[in-house]
Every structure is written in structure tokens, then in C-alpha cells.
Amino acid sequence: PNSHNPYTQIQHDVEEIQSFIDHTFTLLDESLSQVTDLNRQQKIESAEAQLQEVQQLYKEFGGKIKFCPPDQTIKLLETSNTYKQHIQKCTASLNQLKSDELKSSQKKTEKKSKHDKKFETEAHQVMDENIEHANNSLTTALEIEEIGANTAAHLQRQREKLSRTNRMLDNLSERIESAETGILEFMNRVAADKLALFWICLIAIGLLVALIAKATQ
């Protein structure tokens, strides 16, 4: 019976390891195929993990076949050699991907460096323009401040002139009022004098009439 066969468990372990190796090689081949600039780094990371796993399985496989039946050893050694060649091929492909990624990264770095230099040059240019604009703005601000100061001084002079004019008008108004008062007083005196003259004339006329009447008697 198989339960008494010492090679049964070894054969089962070898078949299981072969299944794992075949499956891992399938994943590894997929990781090393259809590589683009966009997915290269991700493919490299997956391939590295799968290659490490298949190398560990390969070591386990090599350790197991030593204990297999002699009639199977030669076939298993050929399989092991096939695995070894496949691992070497995948390792070479992975190294090529790493080399391509390094070159691509260097190109990107150079391109970025050129872009950064161009950006730095443009930034300096913009900075110089901003400084010039700031200087012009400062000059304009100083000119505006000077104009404002001159305008303020002019307005102050105008206010002083207006204040003097108002004082002159107030004095003139007082004089006009005083003159009006004087004229009214003068007119009142004249009116009173006219009334007195009227009575004097009237009395004189009366006296003259009396004298004429007396003379004619």
C-alpha cells in the first residue's frame, strides 16, 4: 500500500512544489511582459517579489528530489535544470527592465532639471519685472504723495484766504449796519428839523399877516 511506501510523501511534496513553481512562473512571465513607461516600475516590483518566491521554491524542489526514487531522479533533475534556465532568463529580463527604468528616470531627471532651470530663469525674470514694477509703483506713490501734500497746502492757503474774506465781510456787514443806523438817525433829525421849520414859517407868516393888517388900518 502507498501508506507503507517511503517515497509517497516525497512525491506528493515534489508535485505540490512543482505546481507552485509553475504558477509563480506564470505570474512572473506576466509581470515581465507588456511593459510600458507608465507601468514599468510596478512591473519590476511585482517581478522581484515573484522571482524571489520562485527561487525559494526552486531551492526546496532541489532539496526534495534528492530523496525521490532513483528511477525519477534523472527526470526531476532535467526539470530542475529547466527551472534554473527559466529563472536565469527571468533574472536577465528583470535586470533589463531595471536598466530601462534607470535610463528613463535619468532622462526624466535631466528633463526636469532643464525644466527647473527654465522655470528658475522665468521666475527670476518675473521677479525682476515685479521689482521694477514695485519701484515704479513706489515712485508713483511718492509723486502722488507729493501732489497730495501740495494739494493739501493749497487747500490750507485757500481756507486761510476764505477765512480772511469772511472776516472782511463780517467787518463790512458791521459797517453797513452802523451806516444804516446813522442814516436813519440823520433822516429822523432832518424830519424833526423840517417840522420845526414848518412851524417857524407858519408863525412868521401869521406875524406878517398881522403886521400887514395893522398897517392897513
Side-chain angles (χ1 to χ4, degrees):
N2 289 337
S3 59
H4 298 292
N5 188 340
Y7 296 118
T8 301
Q9 185 61 43
I10 295 295
Q11 288 176 332
H12 179 270
D13 292 344
V14 167
E15 290 174 359
E16 187 176 38
I17 292 172
Q18 281 184 288
S19 176
F20 287 145
I21 289 175
D22 291 339
H23 177 68
T24 306
F25 270 136
T26 300
L27 296 177
L28 183 56
D29 290 339
E30 289 178 359
S31 295
L32 295 172
S33 62
Q34 297 180 347
V35 180
T36 65
D37 288 340
L38 297 177
N39 66 9
R40 186 187 293 110
Q41 183 58 41
Q42 182 180 355
K43 291 274 191 177
I44 289 173
E45 293 174 1
S46 299
E48 283 181 331
Q50 291 153 0
L51 183 60
Q52 186 176 0
E53 182 178 355
V54 82
Q55 285 172 336
Q56 181 61 38
L57 290 169
Y58 171 73
K59 289 179 181 179
E60 293 180 15
F61 180 75
K64 292 287 184 180
I65 62 177
K66 296 176 183 178
F67 304 101
C68 288
D71 59 330
Q72 295 182 10
T73 301
I74 296 175
K75 184 180 179 181
L76 291 174
L77 286 173
E78 291 176 353
T79 302
S80 176
N81 189 50
T82 301
Y83 288 158
K84 181 179 180 180
Q85 291 175 358
H86 199 159
I87 289 173
Q88 290 173 344
K89 179 183 176 182
C90 290
T91 302
S93 297
L94 178 59
N95 289 336
Q96 183 61 47
L97 286 184
K98 289 181 178 180
S99 176
D100 294 342
E101 181 65 16
L102 180 61
K103 291 177 182 177
S104 176
S105 178
Q106 288 174 344
K107 287 182 180 179
K108 289 179 182 177
T109 302
E110 290 174 0
K111 185 176 180 181
K112 184 177 183 299
S113 178
K114 290 180 181 178
H115 179 269
D116 289 346
K117 287 182 180 178
K118 181 181 179 183
F119 178 79
E120 184 179 356
T121 302
E122 292 177 351
H124 280 300
Q125 184 177 356
V126 171
M127 190 183 300
D128 292 339
E129 291 175 355
N130 287 340
I131 291 173
E132 183 179 358
H133 178 70
N135 289 334
N136 292 337
S137 298
L138 178 61
T139 302
T140 303
L142 292 174
E143 291 174 352
I144 291 173
E145 184 179 358
E146 184 178 357
I147 293 172
N150 293 337
T151 303
H154 177 71
L155 289 175
Q156 181 63 29
R157 289 193 295 271
Q158 293 291 65
R159 280 195 291 269
E160 292 174 357
K161 287 182 180 180
L162 182 61
S163 179
R164 289 195 296 270
T165 302
N166 287 335
R167 287 196 297 271
M168 290 174 62
L169 289 175
D170 289 340
N171 293 334
L172 182 61
S173 177
E174 291 176 359
R175 291 179 182 178
I176 290 172
E177 289 178 0
S178 177
E180 287 177 346
T181 302
I183 290 170
L184 288 173
E185 290 176 354
F186 175 75
M187 289 179 66
N188 289 333
R189 286 197 300 272
V190 168
D193 291 343
K194 284 183 177 180
L195 184 62
L197 182 62
F198 170 76
W199 283 112
I200 292 171
C201 290
L202 189 61
I203 293 170
I205 292 170
L207 290 171
L208 181 59
V209 169
L211 289 172
I212 294 171
K214 188 177 181 181
T216 57
Q217 287 180 356

